Amino acid sequence: MGVITVKIPDELEVKFRKKILEIYGVKKGVLGMAITETIELWLEKYENSEKQK
């Protein structure tokens, strides 16, 4: 597994964590799951836009 350390605005972190809690509840590993899903969606978005060029 890779490790990425990033800094994001506090407000964005709080919103993200609240939404994760709302969707997944309090379970081990949900932050990593949500970030993985987010990165996959981002990649899909930009990989698709490259194909259209």
Side-chain angles (χ1 to χ4, degrees):
M1 291 241 186
V3 176
I4 300 173
T5 303
V6 298
K7 291 184 181 185
I8 61 172
D10 291 339
E11 186 177 303
L12 181 61
E13 178 192 1
V14 170
K15 279 178 67 174
F16 192 59
R17 287 181 182 270
K18 283 183 180 179
K19 187 55 70 175
I20 291 168
L21 182 62
E22 180 183 312
I23 293 170
Y24 296 111
V26 180
K27 296 178 191 164
K28 186 174 182 171
V30 294
L31 179 60
M33 273 179 25
I35 291 173
T36 298
E37 180 180 350
T38 302
I39 293 170
E40 288 171 345
L41 289 169
W42 188 89
L43 286 171
E44 185 178 302
K45 175 183 175 181
Y46 287 100
E47 286 172 349
N48 288 338
S49 69
E50 286 177 0
K51 291 177 184 175
Q52 293 174 354
K53 289 183 180 179

